Amino acid sequence: MAKETTSHLQENDFSKWYLQSIQKADLFAYGPVRGTMVFKPNGYALWEKIKTEFDKKFKASGVKNCYFPMLIPESFFKKEADHVEGFAPELPWVTRAGDEELEEPVALRPTSETLFGNAMSDWINSYRDLPMELNQWANVFRWEKRTLPFLRTSEFLWQEGHCAYATEEEARERTMHFLKVYQETVEDLLALPVYAGQKTPSEKFAGGVDTYSIEAMVKDTKSVQAGTSHYLGTNFAEAFDIKYLNTENQHVYAHTSSWGVSTRLIGTMIMAHGDEKGVVFPPKMAPIQIALIPVGNVKKNPEVLTRLEAIEKDLQAAGYSTYLDDSNNSAGYKYNEAEVKGVPLRIEFGPRDMENGQCMIKMRDLEDKEAVNLDDLLDKVASEMETMQKRLYDKADQFRHDHEHFDIDTLDQLKAHIKSCEEKGEYPGWVLAGWDGTEETEAKVKEETGFTTRNIPFEPAVEKNVDLVSGKPAKHTVWFARAY
Amino acid sequence: MAKETTSHLQENDFSKWYLQSIQKADLFAYGPVRGTMVFKPNGYALWEKIKTEFDKKFKASGVKNCYFPMLIPESFFKKEADHVEGFAPELPWVTRAGDEELEEPVALRPTSETLFGNAMSDWINSYRDLPMELNQWANVFRWEKRTLPFLRTSEFLWQEGHCAYATEEEARERTMHFLKVYQETVEDLLALPVYAGQKTPSEKFAGGVDTYSIEAMVKDTKSVQAGTSHYLGTNFAEAFDIKYLNTENQHVYAHTSSWGVSTRLIGTMIMAHGDEKGVVFPPKMAPIQIALIPVGNVKKNPEVLTRLEAIEKDLQAAGYSTYLDDSNNSAGYKYNEAEVKGVPLRIEFGPRDMENGQCMIKMRDLEDKEAVNLDDLLDKVASEMETMQKRLYDKADQFRHDHEHFDIDTLDQLKAHIKSCEEKGEYPGWVLAGWDGTEETEAKVKEETGFTTRNIPFEPAVEKNVDLVSGKPAKHTVWFARAY
């Protein structure tokens, strides 16, 4: 392993680093059907943590969970023209059941606005039925050409919120509320700073009016769209006839919204916090938070193991998930195992430690070990965990700031910047630039650099006045970056 | 509503009673694709309770959650001959994605033994990797001809455990362990007594060796198979090459098992506890456990509402889920709403109650109301909830015993019994009878009476010595009944 840990794979071949890291951490396996994956127990545990936290917050917001069928009739897609155009190329179709051909092909859901729209038109009659805020946890399908475990798979897991409101104002207000829940949770739980902002029309949800996203920078400085919240206007209400009787006794269209986060959050987190040794989990996310490793000849000193088991019990009683490695492997092998699995805190305990009433602790993201008196261990663990959670956030925040560029104002400058980075073997980062609001600029930038508009951040670090392609006055200040 | 509540719909037209009851309780809606359904918030909340409880017990048993892809290649099914024969007629097939025909059709999973088998053959190398006990919560598909919400739908939600062991003994022991977890949880949480036993070969899992089930009786005296646990022998290990290196350094096949419960538990519970007024939820299962209803003119006595809100807060603080109905509807309307929604306990509170420092409480399954001193309310609620949970179990247990028949020893007697029940407008119940172990007996009984073998109970009330068709010596004592 020494060879790998001292290499610079993360800097030099990020894809290879990523695949190796998630394999060493035993998070996934490839599925037999193209682009599908197995979430192995270590990987699925991450999703359970994400799900539990979001579910709590949605429920606290008044959202109710439900479950809709996975199969969508072809006719439903056709009701919203932009929607079908956007999703059609990626839809898998069931055409047969047993030996029978189906009369109408049915799609595996890529998202469920059409099904919720159809149901809401039945369920909503008057203003008293509004707002209606629903959510489901489900598997969805998008037949992607290029796939990457957790980040982009033919089938993935997500939640999709679907809401209906009486007014545009309320719908927009709640659209922003759920975006904010995403931002706060991703920053707090995943220790991942994000930029909240609005997507440009070319990047918005097919069939929607306005899409908002949170965008995270990972260690190859690409952007990941980590969550989206869409204001859908009355588009789906018109397509599915979602009308309500208002207080003036008129039948009017409801305003709808939808919002989702998915298992790609797992890949994003790993790409943002991982280091050359592999994955690094923030304490709040780690399936195993503490590894306890006996040092020295345990057979000669069986009491070491007994004492370590007592320490483990105390830690478990304090709420930590732990793993005591009492296998026959060497201590060094065990240290490495705990590191490649991303365990935040490691406790080493041997005969001499026992004599001295202490143990050694080592944080996954720091170099040095520290001796800790056993009497102080619980307090120390609590403070180290809290500090590490914050430290990972701060490091990721520093990293993104180190790779943000505010002084690139023309396409030529962007191209020169990218070339210079390539020559130095550096990743090109994100560029905050002016945009005149045209698709021509977006197309030109993408074609020549692979950079796309990520979002129009709500709080740009600086305001830009000139479009970087046309030189015309900028309508918006936009993040441009390569993205997953 | 008076008309319905005094009718005998449950006795006279059970299907209609069931559909009306789950509709009034707002639990489901039909999906647009044949045989699919929407789990509305009230219905999905029931599944969340079931899921939470089972998930806790599986984890306590050492099982790890994971998630496998939903799509299964055609070639996988063909590896186990009985398996493909059993499931082929019900499989929906994806044949196209976007505009492209797939090279190999892929099925929507009806169950995932093949996928887990394929993966385990990679993951298991030596005896040190065993036992491997995995579980997933997932949607599955079986294209059924006749469907019924919750009980039998084209898509349903379930958990499927998949395990591999070194020896037959251990595999069988754990197969029984998970059956026992099912029995205990269904009896405790759903207040539903069940018979655990072994399925006959004609009713066992396609591709397995032995199938065990828990069977519940519902109020039309039909049986519902409420959970199954299968010992699969080395059938899937041979089909997918799941071998491990044993301690004697030989490569040998692992023994596998699988086990599942599904959303049909929801329908079973409703059919077992419901009454003429509609659904009745056991306190441990009820999404809303307590309805608080102000009585009299609240506008004249706003303090009634203030006090009731304070009572609600106390109940919530004690851990109950509550609903305070402060709508403009009449108290009678609100009572009915709480009843058709299956709320276990209702609190009525009006101006006179306030003066007397009391409230009225009414349990969903009892006729009479009771005055309770507000100071005693929390204790009273706790004891009433506990008593009701037990009472529902006891009632269901009494009901099944009242409809079990031990004195029917021939097919003619069974037919006479059924005829007599039909004439009296009664449901025919279950029959414990002798069986010689042949499919001929099963086929004959089914053809002439619609009764099928449910299971060979582990603890039969009596032992039967003679087959009810052939008159030959019985090999087993078996429950015969009509079933969902």
Side-chain angles (χ1 to χ4, degrees), chain B residues 273-343:
Chain B
H273 296 311
D275 63 18
E276 288 296 347
K277 290 181 203 155
V279 303
V280 176
F281 293 131
K284 288 186 185 177
M285 277 299 294
I288 303 288
Q289 295 170 307
I290 303 172
L292 298 104
I293 298 173
V295 178
N297 192 327
V298 175
K299 281 192 184 147
K300 270 195 191 159
N301 291 285
E303 207 194 327
V304 164
L305 207 55
T306 318
R307 290 289 299 279
L308 201 51
E309 283 165 357
I311 293 170
E312 184 181 32
K313 266 200 185 147
D314 288 346
L315 290 166
Q316 286 176 343
Y320 297 104
S321 56
T322 62
Y323 176 70
L324 196 165
D325 190 345
D326 59 358
S327 68
N328 289 328
N329 297 311
S330 70
Y333 181 92
K334 293 176 186 179
Y335 296 166
N336 185 63
E337 273 297 293
E339 292 199 321
V340 300
K341 296 246 155 63
V343 179

Side-chain angles (χ1 to χ4, degrees), chain A residues 67 70 91 93 95 98 155, chain B residues 67 70 91 95-96 98 155:
Chain A
Y67 184 76
M70 198 199 65
L91 292 181
W93 292 96
T95 60
E155 176 185 11
Chain B
Y67 184 77
M70 197 199 64
L91 293 181
T95 60
R96 178 158 59 84
E155 176 185 11

